[in-house]
Amino acid sequence: MTPLPFDPIARAAELWDERVGSATSMAAVTSVMRVQQIIQSAVDAALKPHGLTFARYEALVLLYFSRKGALPMRVMGERLQLHPTSVTNIVDRLESDGLVRRTPHPTDRRTTLVEITDAGLQRREAATEAVVRVNLGLKGLTDRQTEQLTDLLAKVRRASGDFED
């Protein structure tokens, strides 16, 4: 990607100020959206050699972080903030790749658990090394600035009802 000789968001903000009004929120939101695209591209490139998308990688990490390496599909959807159909599609693909397996819940016949396999653990580890090498696509910030960014975005998420304290 060839960089532009100017910041298009700054230019759009100037025009917004002239024609619409304060561009403060527009410039911030447009910047967040553009940075999301940049980060997504870097993470996708790091995960592609491992045969994973970010959604499938997130699912493997979620299972890895769980106490028993297994979770009900409903819980996966809640934690990943995905529609049940999306979770099913992710699990189907991971299962076809041998990275997870579906198992019956030991006490609730209506619930299916998704369990990470040894192959899934190995793939998650290699993929994690790859995304860490590219700093998950986040460039140009110090550790302190990254913490500040996380804190600021958490304020927006909390105010929008994404989570409670």
Side-chain angles (χ1 to χ4, degrees), residues 59 62-63 65-76 79 111-116:
L62 178 64
L63 292 170
F65 285 165
S66 70
R67 276 180 265 162
K68 296 183 179 181
L71 290 170
M73 288 181 64
R74 176 190 53 76
V75 172
M76 290 181 69
R79 302 263 171 84
T111 301
T112 299
L113 296 176
V114 179
E115 179 180 16
I116 193 166

Side-chain angles (χ1 to χ4, degrees), residues 49-61:
H50 302 280
L52 295 172
T53 62
F54 187 67
R56 291 194 293 266
Y57 173 70
E58 266 190 315
L60 288 177
V61 170

Side-chain angles (χ1 to χ4, degrees), residues 60-129:
L60 288 177
V61 170
L62 178 64
L63 292 170
Y64 172 70
F65 285 165
S66 70
R67 276 180 265 162
K68 296 183 179 181
L71 290 170
M73 288 181 64
R74 176 190 53 76
V75 172
M76 290 181 69
E78 289 170 0
R79 302 263 171 84
L80 297 173
Q81 297 177 322
L82 294 172
H83 188 276
T85 303
S86 297
V87 176
T88 299
N89 290 337
I90 289 166
V91 170
D92 285 348
R93 182 64 191 269
L94 289 170
E95 188 174 41
S96 72
D97 290 345
L99 305 177
V100 301
R101 67 178 149 261
R102 286 177 169 95
T103 61
H105 191 283
T107 59
D108 183 353
R109 290 185 297 179
R110 297 167 297 164
T111 301
T112 299
L113 296 176
V114 179
E115 179 180 16
I116 193 166
T117 64
D118 288 340
L121 290 169
Q122 292 171 3
R123 182 84 57 95
R124 187 230 35 102
E125 183 175 355
T128 298
E129 289 171 9

Side-chain angles (χ1 to χ4, degrees), residues 39 43 129-141 143 146:
I39 290 170
V43 171
E129 289 171 9
V131 295
V132 167
R133 270 195 303 277
V134 299
N135 198 31
L136 285 97
L138 197 57
K139 295 180 181 180
L141 299 177
D143 286 346
T146 301

